[in-house]
Amino acid sequence: MGREKRNQRSTIHRNKGIFLVFEHYLALTCFYIKYSTNYKERNNAVEQKIMYAGNSNKSLYLSVESSLKKLRTEYIDLLYVHWYDWHTSIEEIMRSLHALVMQRKVLYLVCFRLIWYSDFIILTFFKGISDSPAWVVAKANQYARDHALTPFVVYQGRWNIMDREFEREIIPMARSEGLALAPWAVLAGGKIRTDAEEERRRQTGEKGRVIFEPSWERNDHEKAVCRALEKVAFEIGAKNITSGKYPMKLHANIYLFERF
């Protein structure tokens, strides 16, 4: 099936750590993968699992070659260095990524930022980084410029009205480096809810997500933020308390693509 036909639908597919995404808002189908996490972790037939984890050249090569075969494509649109392992040098990472761009196996590189550890995201033919400290991204891009390598062009990180650490260093760094922003968890993992909604979930047993923290219920700070959002929603006539938070973000940052 060609990329044009695949663009008619929106699907997320996960196969042993490899993510395939079809997005409607892109003009053409976009393949993106993340590398760094050990996608062979649950495969007991593989003894040297360390080769499939981290930011090393070996890990990158194995992950990309495997993804190309699984996706049945010749190149990847977006490549994510999913997290920074704090061991692989910036020099090795950027030279390894640039080699893939020169081979036309990757188009863009993206930066990625998680809550408790650093991430890199990479796009095929463009490079990106994810959930990494601002100084790591700046250092990586400066090294790339100084040595005629491909720099990161997108940064992905956790950003929502309850967690605004993103605004302290990441946004100024992104503006300086010319990086687009791709926030994730913009709905705070489902914690942007009213007191009535939380009580309903408690009574029905529906509860909520516990992927990033053990409790699905909101803490005192999160409840205070939600009550403020509920007040704003009432004043503007919105049906949901999440409706009032987007204009500020989209107005302040032109190159912003949100992931829920």
Side-chain angles (χ1 to χ4, degrees):
M1 184 184 296
R3 292 193 171 208
E4 294 77 11
K5 293 183 179 180
R6 290 174 181 174
N7 194 42
Q8 297 174 2
R9 57 178 179 161
S10 178
T11 307
I12 298 180
H13 172 68
R14 179 174 182 176
N15 184 4
K16 296 181 180 178
I18 302 302
F19 292 82
L20 168 60
V21 175
F22 303 106
E23 300 288 4
H24 282 305
Y25 60 81
L26 294 178
L28 69 164
T29 301
C30 174
F31 290 164
Y32 82 77
I33 72 165
K34 301 176 181 179
Y35 98 97
S36 294
T37 298
N38 193 340
Y39 66 95
K40 296 287 187 179
E41 182 179 1
R42 293 178 176 82
N43 188 344
N44 295 328
V46 178
E47 296 184 359
Q48 297 291 342
K49 295 182 180 180
I50 189 63
M51 298 294 184
Y52 299 88
N55 304 146
S56 69
N57 190 14
K58 178 77 170 182
S59 172
L60 174 61
Y61 172 79
L62 292 174
S63 180
V64 169
E65 290 299 317
S66 177
S67 297
L68 291 174
K69 292 179 181 178
K70 292 174 181 177
L71 298 175
R72 289 180 294 177
T73 186
E74 296 178 352
Y75 70 90
I76 301 163
D77 297 282
L78 311 177
L79 177 59
Y80 288 55
V81 186
H82 200 188
W83 42 267
Y84 185 42
D85 62 14
W86 298 99
H87 294 289
T88 307
S89 67
I90 293 296
E91 293 79 5
E92 178 177 348
I93 293 173
M94 300 311 290
R95 288 189 178 279
S96 299
L97 294 174
H98 180 71
L100 291 176
V101 174
M102 290 296 96
Q103 294 171 31
R104 287 305 193 233
K105 291 183 177 180
V106 173
L107 301 182
Y108 299 92
L109 304 180
V110 186
C111 317
F112 186 42
R113 175 180 176 276
L114 292 180
I115 308 173
W116 59 88
Y117 64 94
S118 297
D119 272 311
F120 278 137
I121 298 180
I122 302 168
L123 297 85
T124 320
F125 277 26
F126 293 108
K127 292 194 292 185
I129 190 167
S130 167
D131 287 309
S132 296
W135 69 266
V136 172
V137 183
K139 182 178 180 180
N141 270 11
Q142 188 60 53
Y143 179 82
R145 286 191 292 267
D146 292 344
H147 296 82
L149 306 178
T150 306
F152 291 113
V153 297
V154 180
Y155 186 99
Q156 179 177 347
R158 181 182 175 91
W159 186 25
N160 56 65
I161 200 163
M162 293 182 178
D163 184 0
R164 301 179 64 181
E165 182 183 352
F166 196 81
E167 301 171 21
R168 186 186 303 273
E169 291 186 345
I170 298 303
I171 291 181
M173 178 276 298
R175 285 175 174 165
S176 176
E177 293 290 330
L179 299 175
L181 299 175
W184 65 278
V186 294
L187 294 179
K191 287 196 172 184
I192 301 179
R193 63 175 82 103
T194 63
D195 293 342
E197 170 66 13
E198 185 156 304
E199 181 60 28
R200 184 193 67 78
R201 289 170 177 252
R202 188 180 297 108
Q203 294 296 330
T204 61
E206 180 181 352
K207 300 183 179 180
R209 300 176 64 184
V210 291
I211 297 177
F212 298 111
E213 49 190 298
S215 176
W216 67 273
E217 298 184 76
R218 300 164 301 163
N219 56 37
D220 292 339
H221 169 70
E222 291 167 341
K223 290 179 180 179
V225 173
C226 288
R227 286 164 187 158
L229 287 176
E230 191 173 5
K231 181 180 178 181
V232 172
F234 176 78
E235 291 176 351
I236 65 176
K239 295 182 179 180
N240 193 290
I241 65 173
T242 62
S243 302
K245 70 184 184 64
Y246 294 108
M248 178 273 292
K249 277 189 181 181
L250 298 176
H251 176 74
N253 300 279
I254 299 176
Y255 303 106
L256 176 63
F257 308 94
E258 295 184 347
R259 291 185 62 219
F260 294 88

